[in-house]
Amino acid sequence: MASLAAGGAAFRRTGIPVSRPNPSRPLSSLEAMARGEHPRRTPLYGALMMVAAWLAAAWASTFDATWLKGTVFAICAAVALIGFLMTFRDYS
């Protein structure tokens, strides 16, 4: 989060000052957000994990070795579950 230093300059985690047009106005949630902390990033990563698990399972279905196919399916199921939880988590 940003903190106010003397003179009204806001500093992010990196310590780099961020200039604001009106120092008396409080920071909005978008201005105070550090780089890489966007709230929509986690659901996007979860959806990408689900798609990757689906594609890996489709690729694994072509394997002849049953033990290898079962192992890949189990890993895909775990990755898809984690991706589902990341995508459809409840913020309330």
Side-chain angles (χ1 to χ4, degrees):
M1 290 292 175
S3 62
L4 293 178
F11 289 87
R12 294 192 181 170
R13 285 188 203 165
T14 59
I16 300 171
V18 178
S19 62
R20 296 187 297 157
N22 184 359
S24 63
R25 184 178 61 86
L27 291 169
S28 70
S29 61
L30 291 178
E31 291 172 331
M33 192 180 319
R35 181 179 219 161
E37 289 186 1
H38 200 278
R40 293 183 187 164
R41 190 167 294 215
T42 303
L44 173 67
Y45 289 160
L48 290 175
M49 287 175 69
M50 289 190 296
V51 169
W54 180 75
L55 291 173
W59 175 61
S61 67
T62 63
F63 295 166
D64 290 330
T66 306
W67 66 270
L68 182 59
K69 189 185 298 190
T71 304
V72 173
F73 284 165
I75 293 170
C76 288
V79 169
L81 178 64
I82 293 169
F84 180 83
L85 293 175
M86 288 174 66
T87 302
F88 299 107
R89 63 185 180 169
D90 187 15
Y91 291 105
S92 61

